[in-house]
């Protein structure tokens, strides 16, 4: 059965996590929720929803999701209060077969407006600590297919309008902090970047990609295209542009996010573009290169699938060994990526650009940065010695390099943020 981590999510409005005692009304609601959930009274839980939540999540959708959750994780044994901020309470929820972080939001009538289950770790609360130089607040953007959830980090020492950086994440189910549960990436790279930018008087917005973390969408994996990610980023650019606190918008794209950003800035009010660890070649060439260490039969089958995609045809029968990169439900997304050539996009770009590349990136080599620079002669290029794909210092040795992927306390490479700050401050 497919793992269910998201029970419900709906507009949680802008909330600051203030340390307060557990409100009595939340105690009452959680007690009822636990009782109804354990007794399979899904209709009774639904009756606790606000009208807006009922409209956004009809009973016909809510009921099978809840039943699946119960079948997979068992009864809810207990909830332990962690913290409360304006209308949002956070709990440690212990089910029979697993433990989650549970966010609960109520309206003034004590009706549920938000109910979200997410991954829980013993150190989760500590990891949520915010650097004292910035103030973080949740951001929610409604889209045609759902909603994008993110975190706005504002520098506390700022006076007047400040620059803001939109951080667009790398490939796969990458969350707002730069982590990817499926690949074991827990390096907190975007969270660290937001903190370092804040120390330099620069705001930032980082967000969960579509259908990742607290961002939800009706778009299924088989329907997803890279343009969907670009539409989300573009909508966030427009939202930031309407916010009078910001003097200029710079879009930072990491890995695949650099390509997403390149599309998103077209005809939108971004003043600068930063590509970090970005491929320069067309998508099919990049993917074939990534498969070179795989057995030949896998390389051959993958190449055959790509050849079919170039003709507009998907392949239903795929060897399980290459499902991670070519499963049928992701082939339309691959098709949308493979039609794009990053160097062409860079050549057509009208705004200032900064190309950042680490010398120990085992995924994207330095020559990619050089090709992007050649395509846009007035672009700035920053080569950082000893920086790997996740923007941290690492040796070229593969094992030691990938060890950094699970070290959230390891700082970003020293040359990264100063180079970005210099570029941002010079943009008019």
């Amino acid at each position: 059965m497919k793992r269910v981590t998201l029970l419900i999510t709906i507009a949680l409005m802008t909330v600051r996590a203030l340390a307060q005692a557990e409100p009595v009304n939340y105690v009452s609601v959680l007690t009822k929720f636990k009782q109804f959930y354990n007794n399979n009274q899904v209709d009774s839980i639904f009756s606790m929803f606000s009208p807006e939540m009922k409209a956004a999540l009809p009973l016909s959708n809510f009921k099978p999701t809840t039943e699946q959750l119960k079948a997979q994780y068992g009864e809810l044994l207990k909830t332990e209060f962690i913290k409360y901020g304006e209308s949002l309470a956070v709990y440690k929820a212990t089910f029979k077969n697993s433990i989650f972080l549970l966010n609960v939001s109520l309206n003034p009538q004590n009706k549920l407006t938000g109910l979200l289950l997410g991954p829980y770790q013993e150190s989760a609360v500590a990891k949520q600590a915010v650097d004292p130089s910035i103030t973080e607040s949740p951001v929610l953007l409604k889209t045609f297919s759902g909603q994008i959830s993110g975190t706005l980090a504002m520098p506390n020492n700022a006076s007047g309008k400040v620059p803001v950086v939109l951080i667009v994440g790398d490939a796969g189910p990458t969350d707002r902090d730069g982590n990817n549960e499926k690949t074991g990436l827990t390096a907190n790279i975007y969270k660290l970047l937001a903190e370092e930018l804040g120390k330099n008087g620069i705001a930032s917005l980082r967000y969960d990609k579509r259908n990742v973390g607290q961002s939800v969408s009706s778009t299924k994996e088989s329907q997803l295209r890279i343009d969907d990610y670009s539409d989300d980023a573009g909508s966030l650019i427009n939202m930031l542009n309407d916010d009078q606190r910001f003097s200029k918008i710079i879009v930072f794209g990491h890995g695949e996010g650099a390509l997403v950003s390149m599309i998103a800035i077209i005809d939108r009010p971004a003043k600068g573009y930063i590509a970090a660890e970005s491929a320069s070649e067309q998508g099919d060439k990049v993917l074939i290169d990534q498969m070179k260490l795989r057995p030949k039969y896998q390389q051959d089958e993958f190449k055959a699938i790509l050849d079919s995609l170039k003709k507009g045809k998907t392949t239903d029968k795929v060897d399980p060994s290459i499902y991670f990169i070519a499963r049928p439900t992701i082939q339309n997304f691959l098709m949308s990526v493979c039609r794009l050539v990053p160097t062409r996009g860079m050549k057509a770009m009208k705004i200032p650009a900064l190309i950042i590349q680490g010398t120990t990136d085992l995924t994207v080599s330095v020559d990619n940065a050089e090709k992007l620079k050649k395509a846009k002669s007035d672009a700035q290029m920053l080569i950082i010695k000893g920086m790997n794909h996740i923007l941290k210092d690492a040796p070229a040795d593969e094992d030691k390099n990938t060890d950094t992927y699970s070290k959230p306390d390891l700082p970003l490479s020293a040359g990264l943020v100063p180079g970005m700050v210099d570029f941002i401050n010079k943009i008019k």
Side-chain angles (χ1 to χ4, degrees), residues 258-315:
L259 182 59
V260 171
S261 301
M262 189 178 287
I263 306 169
I265 63 176
I266 297 173
D267 296 327
R268 289 193 173 95
K271 297 295 185 181
Y273 168 77
I274 302 175
E277 315 304 309
S278 172
S280 62
E281 301 284 356
Q282 197 164 334
D284 56 332
K285 296 179 181 179
V286 175
L287 293 168
I288 288 174
D289 189 60
Q290 290 178 359
M291 290 290 289
K292 284 183 178 178
L293 296 179
R294 293 273 170 173
K296 190 174 184 304
Y297 81 92
Q298 293 181 10
Q299 295 183 46
D300 292 343
E301 180 171 351
F302 182 63
K303 188 176 184 302
I305 291 173
L306 286 181
D307 289 341
S308 293
L309 292 178
K310 289 178 183 178
K311 300 173 183 177
K313 298 179 180 180
T314 58
T315 303

Side-chain angles (χ1 to χ4, degrees), residues 68 97 100 119-120 160 164 196-197 208 296 315 328 345 362 368 410 413:
Q68 184 180 355
N97 300 326
F100 291 101
Y120 178 86
V164 61
E196 292 303 314
L197 289 172
D208 296 331
K296 190 174 184 304
T315 303
L362 303 181
N368 285 273
L410 187 67
S413 187

Side-chain angles (χ1 to χ4, degrees), residues 42-222:
V42 180
D43 291 0
S44 297
I45 298 176
F46 187 76
S47 69
M48 299 168 66
F49 288 3
S50 68
E52 296 80 10
M53 194 165 180
K54 287 180 178 178
L57 188 65
L59 182 61
S60 59
N61 293 337
F62 172 65
K63 190 168 185 176
T65 301
T66 307
E67 290 173 347
Q68 184 180 355
L69 183 83
K70 178 74 177 296
Q72 188 166 354
Y73 297 113
E75 291 190 350
L76 175 58
L77 303 180
K78 62 179 179 178
T79 56
E80 300 170 69
F81 176 73
I82 296 176
K83 63 180 181 179
Y84 175 75
E86 302 166 9
S87 79
L88 175 66
V90 181
Y91 295 85
K92 175 183 177 182
T94 303
F95 292 78
K96 182 178 180 180
N97 300 326
S98 190
I99 299 175
F100 291 101
L101 204 62
L102 172 63
N103 294 333
V104 178
S105 181
L106 300 178
N107 66 13
Q109 291 73 43
N110 292 326
K111 291 293 186 178
L112 285 164
T113 59
L115 191 63
L116 173 71
L117 289 178
Y120 178 86
Q121 296 176 347
E122 289 298 329
S123 58
V125 177
K127 286 182 180 179
Q128 292 176 2
V130 178
D131 188 282
S133 62
I134 63 174
T135 297
E136 291 193 340
S137 58
V139 170
L140 191 68
L141 174 70
K142 290 189 176 181
T143 66
F144 287 117
S145 68
Q147 61 190 27
I148 299 298
S149 181
T151 299
L152 178 67
M154 290 291 293
N156 290 330
N157 61 354
S159 58
K161 292 187 176 184
V162 297
V164 61
V165 175
L166 176 65
I167 300 173
V168 183
D170 202 355
T174 304
D175 68 17
R176 71 186 72 188
D177 290 335
N179 300 322
N180 186 326
E181 182 182 344
K182 288 188 176 181
T183 62
L185 175 60
T186 57
N188 273 353
I189 49 179
Y190 306 149
K191 185 176 189 297
L192 293 172
L193 180 58
E195 291 174 353
E196 292 303 314
L197 289 172
K199 292 176 184 177
N200 287 274
I202 299 171
S204 64
L205 173 59
R206 62 192 195 272
Y207 63 98
D208 296 331
K209 294 172 65 174
R210 189 180 292 213
N211 281 332
V212 175
Q214 296 182 34
S215 292
V216 295
S217 172
S218 59
T219 308
K220 298 178 181 179
E221 185 177 65
S222 60

Side-chain angles (χ1 to χ4, degrees), residues 248-263:
K248 53 191 172 185
I249 303 166
I250 295 85
V251 182
F252 171 91
H254 177 225
E256 183 182 274
L259 182 59
V260 171
S261 301
M262 189 178 287
I263 306 169

